[in-house]
Amino acid sequence: MNHSTAAPFTPGHRAPGPDSSGARLLAGWHATGRPATLADHLRRYGPPPFTGGTPGLVDSVEAAGLTGRGGAGFATARKLRGVMDGRGPAVVVVNAMESEPGSRKDQFLLAVAPHLVLDGAVLAAAEVGADTVHVCLPRTRTAQHRQLGTAVEERRRARLDPVRIRLHALPHGYVSSESTALVRWLDGGPARPQGSPPRSHERGVARRPTLVHNAETLAHLALIARHGPDWFRQAGTVDEPGTTLVTVSGAIAAPGVLEAPLGTPLATLLDRAGGPTGPVRAILLGGFAGTWLPAENVHTPLARRELAPLGASPGAGVLVALPHTACGLTETARMLAFLAAHGARQCGPCRYGLPAVAEDFAALAAGHAHPELLSRLHRRTGLLPDRGACRHPDGAARLAASAMRTFADDVGHHLTHGTCPAAHRPPRIPVPPATPLETWR
Amino acid sequence: MNPNRILRIDRIACTGQGLCGELLPELIDLDEWGYPILKDRIVPDRLRSHTRRAVAACPRLALHTDDT
């Protein structure tokens, strides 16, 4: 499914499990084990229920309590209303960039249920008065581009949609999945975050009010349009309703993408992915811009409210189990080097701060101690958040700070005795090459 | 009542020349690369003219004040 980078697993080839309880977005996949064609999709769900301008969808989405499944977790109805309140015709953008290296869920969803995502985008477009849906994909995923092209062509032949759907192949930078970077690219610029106001929902693509949603979010929206808010709330918690897609990898027997109600304990998610292959040292939650949690926290529910006190959040649903045999500092150093190389280099923190933190961390991981290394690392890490045009430095700082917290014993060991034995083993978390993007256009 | 005056930095335009930190040390620190760290976003009345000067002096036009 992903032909560009070395995938730690290939969820697309995983046989549908017998446990399909609670699956919504993946229900078709669990039932048939093959990607849904338009005919399959229409048989299962029927055509997208356009209300023809009558108010309805945004109220349903609000009552359902759907939040964005891209990481920020913003209320979907508020975004929709923001665009509806904007001046002039609107634009809808599907964010299918999924640049987080630990995440596969959007690629998987788009491969097995493309029409659910496209339904959601077209329904949202009809609701906000947009005539075009732009689907943004990374340029490197050629197979995905081809599959989605086929799906769009099926819909065009069937004259299913009242709006146009256009696919775009963008440069695959880590920060290119930021919504303002998509808007900037669609307007002919580089796929780098924009930062300054106005916000995309006020003035985005071609200066029009622009709705940018993650692929999974739109698929949930398509089901809410069909089954209503009460149905949606049958899964998840009162505060955080619905199911969510989770990518589980690392020291786990059956890594892959699964669907679970929000509020499911992390331990249950690990078990559903076949269970750990050995004692787990820590869990990386949220991916490269996420948070390391000690294994003691494994019973925490995957929910914003319960994770917030631990400094974590569900993010885009990435869960990596680190085995006891791995060195958390070495793994973190490699991820930080990648994040540093993939900054947009527009702001101070990404030009200097983040590369400096990554270098300090590499020295720590390599056991190159010098007296002020740790205090300098803490100070520099503290200077990253809130000082960039986007949240990239904030995410890197979260990763670095949580690693120093979670692997505090190792930090002490590396500083006083040099590297731990685990640091010499092959790394466990696949990290793409830490080379900057050749082109942003 | 006077509206609050809020300091804002255009992070993409800023190249870390560091003038703002020298002209307005009450509100702006500099990091080790010369990029501003806002100590407080709200400009007190007594610093309004200093702030105006710092805004005008930024060679990248990256320092702004907004009224709220």
Side-chain angles (χ1 to χ4, degrees):
Chain A
M1 206 165 47
N2 181 343
H3 294 253
S4 59
T5 52
F9 46 80
T10 48
H13 302 292
R14 216 175 129 192
D19 173 37
S20 59
S21 60
R24 293 173 166 187
L25 304 181
L26 302 184
W29 164 251
H30 283 303
T32 64
R34 64 184 166 93
T37 62
L38 183 57
D40 298 331
H41 174 75
L42 292 175
R43 213 174 300 128
R44 180 170 289 271
Y45 299 104
F50 299 116
T51 51
T54 57
L57 182 58
V58 68
D59 294 333
S60 285
V61 169
E62 185 162 47
L66 175 64
T67 52
R69 301 291 199 249
F74 195 75
T76 304
R78 261 170 67 197
K79 251 195 198 180
L80 281 164
R81 283 198 209 285
V83 171
M84 289 160 88
D85 292 345
R87 295 169 58 162
V91 173
V92 169
V93 177
V94 182
N95 188 350
M97 295 294 287
E98 190 160 61
S99 61
E100 170 55 53
S103 187
R104 288 291 182 283
K105 54 120 179 164
D106 284 340
Q107 297 163 66
F108 185 59
L109 179 64
L110 282 165
V112 303
H115 292 290
L116 217 42
V117 177
L118 295 174
D119 275 3
V122 173
L123 284 161
E127 185 74 1
V128 302
D131 62 4
T132 305
V133 166
H134 298 285
V135 184
C136 293
L137 303 164
R139 197 170 285 165
T140 44
R141 294 184 192 138
T142 45
Q144 188 186 38
H145 205 91
R146 203 168 49 237
Q147 286 168 352
L148 265 183
T150 308
V152 169
E153 182 57 25
E154 282 180 296
R155 297 174 80 94
R156 201 187 57 76
R157 286 223 189 101
R159 295 177 188 278
L160 193 64
D161 302 321
V163 307
R164 231 174 355 177
I165 303 176
R166 294 184 54 193
L167 301 187
H168 302 275
L170 276 66
H172 193 197
Y174 189 83
V175 293
S176 301
S177 60
E178 217 266 340
S179 63
T180 60
L182 305 183
V183 168
R184 206 166 160 189
W185 191 88
L186 288 166
D187 273 339
R192 296 159 107 186
Q194 208 144 16
S196 51
R199 307 271 297 276
S200 305
H201 67 79
E202 291 161 2
R203 209 161 74 209
V205 178
R207 304 172 72 81
R208 295 171 170 199
T210 300
L211 184 77
V212 185
H213 267 313
N214 164 267
E216 182 193 340
T217 313
L218 289 165
H220 285 294
L221 183 144
L223 290 183
I224 291 170
R226 289 178 167 95
H227 305 308
D230 294 338
W231 169 85
F232 187 75
R233 284 185 171 277
Q234 283 167 17
T237 70
V238 176
D239 294 341
E240 293 162 77
T243 61
T244 193
L245 296 179
V246 184
T247 314
V248 189
S249 68
I252 215 78
V257 176
L258 49 90
E259 183 172 4
L262 280 163
T264 303
L266 304 181
T268 308
L269 296 170
L270 297 182
D271 285 342
R272 282 191 51 196
T277 51
V280 172
R281 178 85 190 279
I283 294 164
L284 177 64
L285 183 63
F288 285 27
T291 310
W292 283 109
L293 294 175
E296 301 91 272
N297 295 133
V298 78
H299 298 291
T300 314
L302 183 76
R304 215 157 262 281
R305 206 167 76 170
E306 275 86 357
L307 288 166
L310 304 176
S313 85
V318 175
L319 209 60
V320 187
L322 190 76
H324 253 284
T325 51
C327 170
L329 298 179
T330 305
E331 305 285 346
T332 305
R334 295 172 63 246
M335 289 189 271
L336 284 171
F338 168 82
L339 293 175
H342 269 243
R345 294 182 190 273
Q346 299 183 112
C347 315
C350 270
R351 270 198 213 132
Y352 300 104
L354 175 48
V357 166
E359 267 177 44
D360 284 349
F361 220 99
L364 175 65
H368 297 154
H370 57 89
E372 76 275 33
L373 177 64
L374 197 59
S375 60
R376 189 174 77 186
L377 187 49
H378 276 292
R379 177 169 48 80
R380 286 175 165 176
T381 301
L383 284 177
L384 292 181
D386 276 327
R387 292 181 57 235
C390 74
R391 291 288 161 192
H392 183 59
D394 305 49
R398 193 161 43 234
L399 177 75
S402 70
M404 288 188 275
R405 242 181 2 248
T406 301
F407 307 114
D409 293 353
D410 291 341
V411 171
H413 187 280
H414 278 237
L415 284 175
T416 49
H417 300 92
T419 50
C420 60
H424 301 290
R425 296 201 182 97
R428 300 299 302 258
I429 300 178
V431 178
T435 40
L437 215 54
E438 270 171 34
T439 172
W440 292 93
R441 187 53 226 172
Chain B
M1 209 179 106
N2 278 344
N4 267 336
R5 193 149 286 186
I6 305 286
L7 265 187
R8 178 168 59 83
I9 298 163
D10 181 335
R11 300 291 184 178
I12 294 178
C14 175
T15 54
Q17 304 296 310
L19 250 65
C20 56
E22 284 175 31
L23 292 172
L24 200 57
E26 296 88 346
L27 298 181
I28 297 174
D29 266 343
L30 298 177
D31 69 15
E32 59 189 287
W33 300 281
Y35 285 83
I37 302 165
L38 279 185
K39 288 197 272 191
D40 198 348
R41 281 158 38 83
I42 300 169
V43 180
D45 284 346
R46 65 187 168 82
L47 289 176
R48 285 206 171 193
S49 60
H50 283 276
T51 302
R52 233 182 344 260
R53 231 169 292 158
V55 166
C58 174
R60 304 286 305 176
L61 307 179
L63 189 64
H64 303 273
T65 50
D66 297 327
D67 288 338
T68 56

